[in-house]
């Protein structure tokens, strides 16, 4: 893990609402794993705290993240230009690949909204002996990003793209039509969506690995601010930034 | 150029420490930060029994600050002794054990367990804890209790004893005075300020415990004023804490009278803040031909022509 | 949709006022701001005699806040009556005269001069002033004195009497309680926090009086906690003040229990903040089918499963 | 006086250190006078307070200011781009032209550092029956801006441009060589320089009008934070933002 000041290589609009920001870092490119995140200081003074972003892709020494503008930090980030620098700290958190091996046929990726972020990088490095099916859900079509994904099924709340409904409805619908064999779920998105999808997966006796999101002050285990209640472990709480962000959903209380 | 500072029998290689609760036990970031360059580490508050801490959410950002209510989640003093001290010993820096408790007896017992250990160089006492006997009112707002805690702990330790004061009182200097007279070696000023923040959509507090502790640059002006008040009331050293992010911030604290400083929230943003602050102070002194950082302490020049009675806000 | 609020015999058209000392006497910015849309104006603090105020520098910026020590510069109550009231009468809004003084007698005299005037609708009493008899200690940190001031003023006015409390005390609720029991109609929470800031090159305070009052977004979390504490202690309305810049900020204060809010520092940045806040609140209520802003007041849902004793920071 | 959100029209580097920012405002262009200033909110959140800048030039509906990066606010401002908007409040303060008429032959303009800012606009509108001589002083040559000025004499502390020394030394030197007849001074710059030049002017029985600088919270008379001590007026203090920024130097205590 390192703190680095890195130059922005490019900015691209993936949709009208989603931006892909690419920067250069030899170090990060050489060590980061799918599912890990980086913590960005978007500006010198304001906001105070870093903002966590999943690694969306790594290509050579180019690392990219995707985001949409929802508040102060992402607004500042969206104003950066090619050639500006950003202050990053990472890679943080555990990675999806640790949970990729095992006895199952199809890996089911479910991304809700900007929760799609870790999946392209994961797709790229996923064990090639597994099939992958991807489900994306979002409020509307401008929040749908399919770049770098395989076998994508789309749902939107307003029906502007793909299936009209929630991503869980889409999954259920699709599972009726196809036989994916033994499955394992890898999910990321709003907690409510993850809770619902995890229940579905666990009910089918599939393991479900979720990348969780909480407010974070440090992202590296210093502040103990990112706790989540565990399900009957030895400790009452786990730290999302350090012990996660990826947890098997039966081990934590999603709420 | 003298950077070091001696408190009782302990020599800090420089005057910059990392604050309790903001640097773990020093083992989280040893790959990111060269800990040997810090003046010292104040540990997360330790209680007798391990504490799970408060439910989530525990933190939220505010304008130039943050609120936290971690609930003093910690591994407990026994596990600290068995698991952490061996690691801490390897760092070439001073280790101050911060103690939290819900009764005077608990403060004493935790300190007594740590006193014989050479891996612990001194104590900082967090009195911003609820006094169970008094229904949860904070020890730190009762000047008599702070005096008793100091007295009891002083009898039990030969090591530096630092009382960490809460700013949530009318006259912090009263508290510093009682610490001084009961034998404390220093006071740390300040712990967090009580604050809150509301999610207006859910109509719920943004942290589970409703109120939490405010820290970060937002509180720096308040912390400076409290350090200044304290420094004018006591002769024992004052350790300045609150919103320090840069060496310039630290020098402000020195000028108003802090003998050492601690870095808290800034560690979350830049874990190596303590080191950049220490290096910045050194360069500042070299540039200005100051041969001892101590010579900056308490050098504030105030406007003597303004009397208190005239100084209405 | 009901926006108005009635305090004693006075009806405010909405719940957003501008805070004392941050809007002059309402005549500085009448070309920039449609003053008739404000719930009310609290005047700069008025003392018996005109006051020049403190030497410069009087202000300095801090992280998300500012320090000030204007020294209650004001034209004095006589000039206020002769020069300002005729102008203020023309604004279609409520005028609250804020009074500052260095003795209880002075508070009474200023109020008595204003009481008969129809251009003044109510009073807010600034108790963060140095008590000359006590060598300059602030009235506002002495619960007995705040009680006596309230009692004396209550006997002299039929108009709404609001006591503006200082946050620089351990338990602000004690002060609110004594105001309530001595007959105040409301309390304003909070005035500025004591803070300081240092010019490290000159080794001088950045404001001439060394310490000053901290205001702005930085203090909002503290103000919210103080309003919440006060609201839980008294039945009289609490007027929330501290760092409010947007309607969202105002709604936070309503949710924790403020019946009205005041805009201070934000006026310096956007003089029409009061109006945009009032309009934002109205739109928020309309969107959420709230037919009376009053229905938001004190609706905070706290986590009842966490006891005080467990809620260590 | 108005608060407006205005679009940035252009950015120009006048020297390696000094930027000229031009924006569009019909209103301001129609009412603003030389010596007045505008108060800019450089960003939504941070820094909190507006930053005051003198009007450097007005051309049609284009208004420009000049500045160098010295801290948080000017750093943010320097990052703006053409097409971005800024939030301005103005025009504020009194104007130099009120003091331009009278019995004297030559108007002496003295600008120290970025204190040059108001003089081009003043030069443009100065009564044509007066001669103008301009003196600029700065630490080094990258802080010297001559655009829009007349009869310019330059001094730098390091000798990198013009006279090697302070601007007062330059004035004294030049006054020995020329006869400017009856003079009136118009000055702007660091307080110490203004104090020295004002003494020189007043000793020659010239009126001296100085545009003062103090920290300002509001710039419009609300906060009373910008006071300066007067020399035996009826009031002990005057507000720089409202009663100034321009004062005859005998009426105020420069320190
Ligand atoms: C491990 C991790 C990985 C992440 N990866 C990505 C990523 O790849 N791309 C991405 O766009 N985002 C990602 N996020 C979320 C991202 O960090 C937040 O969106 C960002 O911090 C918001 O910052 P802001 O300053 O713009 O918003 P703020 O100003 O902090 O918040 C603006 C508003 O949005 C609300 N808000 C804040 N965060 C969220 C949230 N997560 N969900 C819903 N509402 C919220 C706030 O309550 C507030 O009302 C990730 C978060 C975590 C913890
Ligand atoms: C009426 C008026 C008109 C002005 N016109 C112009 C103008 O046309 N162009 C221009 O560039 N500036 C002008 N200024 C000064 C300008 O407002 C300040 O430079 C600006 O506010 C600095 O903001 P900042 O956030 O970048 O610096 P800050 O972060 O606020 O300060 C950075 C550092 O610089 C120091 N500093 C701040 N202000 C000054 C100062 N004025 N002189 C010396 N040191 C200072 C601070 O103490 C601090 O150490 C004017 C000021 C006034 C009052
Ligand atoms: C997340 C967090 C946890 C903290 N935990 C402790 C603690 O366990 N014991 C203690 O005495 N202070 C604790 N503090 C207070 C800090 O040590 C420090 O006094 C305070 O944050 C002010 O300094 P700062 O503004 O630099 O953060 C904590 C602060 C934060 C932000
Ligand atoms: C420059 C300035 C002057 C003030 N003058 C007064 C005053 O005369 N009387 C008073 O009761 N409060 C005064 N206040 C306090 C404000 O009314 C308000 O209580 C405080 O600033 C907190 O609110 P804010 O954060 O919205 O500014 C002043 C505040 C500022 C910033
Ligand atoms: S975010 Fe600080 S410990 Fe996880
Ligand atoms: S800057 Fe506020 S009154 Fe002048």
């Amino acid at each position: 893990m390192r703190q680095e000041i890195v130059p922005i290589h490019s900015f691209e609009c993936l949709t009208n609402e989603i931006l892909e920001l690419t920067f250069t870092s030899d170090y990060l490119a050489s060590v980061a794993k799918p599912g890990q995140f980086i913590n960005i200081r978007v500006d010198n003074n304001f906001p105070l705290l870093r903002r966590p972003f999943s690694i969306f892709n790594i290509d050579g020494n180019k690392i990219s993240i995707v985001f949409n503008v929802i508040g102060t930090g992402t607004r500042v980030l969206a104003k950066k230009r090619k050639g500006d620098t950003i202050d990053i700290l990472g890679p943080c958190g555990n990675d999806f690949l640790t949970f990729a091996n095992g006895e199952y046929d199809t890996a089911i990726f479910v991304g809700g909204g900007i929760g799609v972020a870790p999946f392209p990088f994961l797709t790229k490095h996923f064990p090639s002996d597994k099939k992958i099916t991807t489900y994306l859900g979002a409020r509307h079509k401008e929040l749908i990003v399919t770049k770098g994904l395989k076998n994508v099924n789309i749902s939107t709340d307003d029906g502007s793209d793909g299936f009209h409904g929630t991503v869980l409805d889409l999954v259920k619908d699709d599972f009726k039509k196809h036989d994916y064999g033994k499955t394992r779920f890898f999910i990321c998105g709003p907690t409510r969506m993850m809770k619902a999808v995890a229940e579905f997966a666990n009910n089918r006796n599939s393991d479900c690995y979720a990348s969780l999101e909480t407010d974070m002050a440090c992202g590296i285990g210093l502040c103990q601010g990112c706790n989540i209640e565990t399900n009957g472990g030895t400790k009452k709480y786990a730290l999302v930034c350090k012990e996660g962000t990826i947890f098997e959903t039966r081990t934590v209380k999603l709420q | 150029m003298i950077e070091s500072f001696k408190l009782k029998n302990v020599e800090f290689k420089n005057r910059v420490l990392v604050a309790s609760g903001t640097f773990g036990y020093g083992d989280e970031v040893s790959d990111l930060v060269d800990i040997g360059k810090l003046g010292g580490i104040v540990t997360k508050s330790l209680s007798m029994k391990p504490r799970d801490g408060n439910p989530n959410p525990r933190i939220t950002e505010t304008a130039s600050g943050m609120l936290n209510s971690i609930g003093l989640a910690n591994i407990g003093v026994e596990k600290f002794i068995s698991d952490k001290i061996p690691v801490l010993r390897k760092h070439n820096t001073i280790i101050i054990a911060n103690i939290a408790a819900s009764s005077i007896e608990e403060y004493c017992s935790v300190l007594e367990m740590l006193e014989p250990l050479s891996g612990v160089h001194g104590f900082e006492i967090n009195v911003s804890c609820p006094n169970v006997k008094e229904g949860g009112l904070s020890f730190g707002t009762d000047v008599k209790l702070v005096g008793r805690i100091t007295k009891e702990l002083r009898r039990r330790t030969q090591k530096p004893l630092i009382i960490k004061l809460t700013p949530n009182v009318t006259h912090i200097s009263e508290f510093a005075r009682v610490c001084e007279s009961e034998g404390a070696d220093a006071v740390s000023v300040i712990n967090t300020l009580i604050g809150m923040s509301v999610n207006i959509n859910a109509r719920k507090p943004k942290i589970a415990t409703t109120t939490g502790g405010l820290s970060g640059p937002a509180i720096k002006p308040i912390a400076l004023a409290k350090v200044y008040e304290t420094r004018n009331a006591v002769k024992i050293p004052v350790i300045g804490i609150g919103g320090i992010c840069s060496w310039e911030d630290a020098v402000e604290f020195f000028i108003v009278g802090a003998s050492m400083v601690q870095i808290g929230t800034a560690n979350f943003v830049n874990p190596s803040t303590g080191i950049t602050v220490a290096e910045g102070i050194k360069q500042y002194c070299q540039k200005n031909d100051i041969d001892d950082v101590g010579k900056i302490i308490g050098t504030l020049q105030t406007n003597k022509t303004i009397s208190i009675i005239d100084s209405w806000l």
Side-chain angles (χ1 to χ4, degrees), chain A, chain B:
Chain A
M1 193 187 299
R2 279 196 201 157
Q3 182 181 346
E4 296 183 297
I5 311 286
V6 297
I8 293 179
H9 171 262
S10 64
F11 245 108
E12 199 188 325
C13 295
L14 298 185
T15 73
N16 280 330
E17 297 190 18
I18 295 189
L19 292 163
E20 177 178 0
L21 183 163
T22 306
F23 57 89
T24 316
S25 165
D26 292 329
Y27 166 73
L28 203 64
S30 69
V31 302
K33 300 269 186 313
Q36 289 194 295
F37 68 96
I38 54 164
N39 223 348
I40 303 184
R41 181 101 209 255
V42 298
D43 210 19
N44 281 332
N45 291 298
F46 201 95
L48 175 64
L49 300 175
R50 288 175 184 269
R51 297 290 189 262
F53 294 91
S54 301
I55 296 170
F56 177 71
N57 192 21
I58 298 189
D59 201 356
N61 65 356
K62 306 279 181 298
I63 294 108
S64 68
I65 60 164
V66 290
F67 66 98
N68 56 339
V69 172
I70 65 155
T72 325
T74 45
R75 190 159 46 237
V76 175
L77 206 54
K79 290 230 168 166
K80 303 267 172 192
R81 307 287 201 292
K82 186 184 159 87
D84 288 349
T85 55
I86 48 174
D87 177 345
I88 62 168
L89 201 155
C92 308
N94 58 5
D95 71 286
F96 270 124
L97 290 180
T98 345
F99 311 109
N101 296 317
E103 300 214 339
Y104 63 97
D105 308 298
T106 313
I108 306 294
F109 295 174
V110 187
I114 200 73
V116 64
F119 292 111
F121 189 34
L122 179 60
T123 302
K124 204 176 204 171
H125 294 278
F126 211 75
S128 54
D129 59 324
K130 307 290 184 197
K131 277 174 280 177
I132 294 173
T133 297
T134 307
Y135 300 92
L136 300 182
R139 276 180 289 117
H140 56 83
K141 74 173 199 304
E142 299 298 338
L143 297 170
I144 295 288
V145 167
T146 57
K147 188 173 171 179
L149 298 173
K150 278 189 195 153
N151 306 324
V152 184
N153 303 280
I154 291 169
S155 70
T156 50
D157 295 351
D158 68 353
S160 54
D161 195 356
F163 182 91
H164 188 162
T166 70
V167 71
L168 178 60
D169 291 337
L170 169 65
V171 172
K172 283 181 180 164
D173 183 69
D174 193 55
F175 268 54
K176 277 185 210 136
K177 296 179 192 156
H178 298 94
D179 180 8
Y180 292 110
K182 207 162 165 351
T183 55
R184 183 174 287 181
F185 281 65
F186 300 84
I187 70 177
C188 184
T191 305
R192 203 146 36 125
M193 164 242 144
M194 291 203 284
K195 191 178 158 82
V197 174
E199 257 171 38
F200 173 81
N202 294 158
N203 284 343
R204 298 183 79 246
N205 279 320
S206 291
D207 290 340
C208 179
Y209 293 92
S211 176
L212 304 189
E213 224 184 71
T214 59
D215 277 357
M216 293 182 176
C218 72
I220 54 176
L222 288 180
C223 73
Q224 307 201 57
C226 60
N227 63 319
I228 178 153
E229 203 170 334
T230 57
N231 260 326
T234 50
K235 294 187 310 174
K236 187 161 183 200
Y237 300 108
L239 297 183
V240 170
C241 75
K242 220 182 93 168
E243 297 167 71
T245 59
I246 301 156
F247 295 90
E248 208 292 314
T249 51
R250 282 173 285 228
T251 66
V252 288
K253 290 208 168 83
L254 291 172
Q255 55 198 341
Chain B
M1 223 277 299
I2 305 171
E3 290 181 82
S4 63
F5 178 68
K6 203 161 173 183
L7 185 65
K8 206 171 162 86
N9 45 2
V10 170
E11 177 140 338
F12 297 82
K13 74 179 65 149
N14 64 51
R15 294 171 185 254
V16 183
L17 318 183
V18 287
S20 179
T22 66
F23 211 74
Y25 303 101
D27 52 349
E28 312 289 345
V29 288
S30 42
D31 52 336
L32 272 173
V33 184
D34 183 353
I35 288 172
K37 291 189 176 165
L38 290 171
I41 295 178
V42 185
T43 70
K44 176 80 202 165
S45 279
L46 296 160
S47 52
M48 193 46 134
K49 297 263 163 59
R51 291 181 53 88
D52 292 323
N54 291 330
N56 58 313
R58 288 176 174 179
I59 51 160
T60 190
E61 195 175 0
T62 67
S64 297
M66 64 176 281
L67 286 169
N68 89 79
S69 147
I70 308 300
L72 297 179
N74 79 91
I75 57 176
V77 67
E78 284 177 22
K79 202 137 191 249
F80 173 75
I81 293 171
S82 62
D83 294 11
K84 299 295 177 181
I85 290 199
V87 186
L88 285 168
R89 276 177 179 289
K90 290 186 200 143
H91 299 310
N92 175 22
T93 192
I94 298 299
I95 306 298
I96 304 293
N98 179 298
I99 302 178
S102 51
S103 67
I104 297 187
E105 296 71 35
E106 186 183 351
Y107 279 114
C108 293
S109 317
V110 176
L111 181 132
E112 281 172 342
M113 290 178 69
L114 295 167
E115 175 68 11
L117 307 175
S118 65
V120 170
H121 304 99
F123 300 101
E124 182 180 71
I125 309 305
N126 179 358
V127 293
S128 308
C129 303
N131 179 358
V132 169
K133 285 203 185 124
E134 298 289 334
L137 274 182
S138 165
F139 290 105
T141 59
D142 183 329
V143 82
K144 285 207 197 83
L145 285 174
V146 170
R148 274 189 50 208
I149 292 171
T150 310
K151 185 178 190 167
E152 292 302 326
L153 296 178
R154 177 73 292 168
R155 299 197 315 151
R156 290 168 168 81
T157 180
Q158 303 299 319
K159 296 179 178 173
L161 176 65
I162 305 161
I163 312 295
K164 183 168 180 181
L165 301 178
T166 166
N168 301 300
V169 296
T170 313
H171 300 294
I172 199 167
S173 45
E174 287 178 7
F175 291 79
R177 274 197 211 98
V178 74
C179 293
E180 178 175 52
S181 66
E182 296 296 354
D185 299 303
V187 285
S188 289
V189 174
I190 58 177
N191 211 317
T192 53
L193 285 136
I194 295 171
M196 70 189 284
S197 184
V198 178
N199 176 332
I200 61 171
N201 298 315
R203 297 202 192 162
K204 284 185 180 165
K206 283 200 183 169
I207 52 177
T209 49
T210 306
T211 56
L214 184 67
S215 64
I219 70 167
K220 194 184 73 171
I222 300 172
L224 282 165
K226 297 279 186 193
V227 169
Y228 184 66
E229 181 190 335
T230 307
R231 160 76 181 204
N232 287 333
V234 297
K235 294 209 171 53
I236 53 174
V238 180
I239 303 174
I241 320 173
I244 301 175
C245 297
S246 65
W247 67 264
E248 290 95 334
D249 293 339
V251 170
E252 282 193 72
F253 277 86
F254 292 148
I255 291 173
V256 303
S259 296
M260 292 202 279
V261 293
Q262 291 182 19
I263 312 290
T265 302
N267 290 313
F268 304 151
V269 183
N270 292 316
S272 55
T273 304
I275 292 171
T276 52
V277 167
E279 277 169 7
I281 293 166
K282 188 174 164 186
Q283 279 165 25
Y284 165 82
C285 287
Q286 283 168 341
K287 224 178 260 170
N288 292 280
D289 282 326
I290 298 165
D291 61 5
D292 178 352
V293 182
K295 293 195 176 158
I296 318 173
I297 313 298
T299 55
L300 187 75
Q301 295 165 37
T302 56
N303 187 336
K304 302 278 186 238
T305 64
I306 304 175
S307 76
I308 301 182
I309 292 180
D310 273 344
S311 67
W312 294 21
L313 294 180

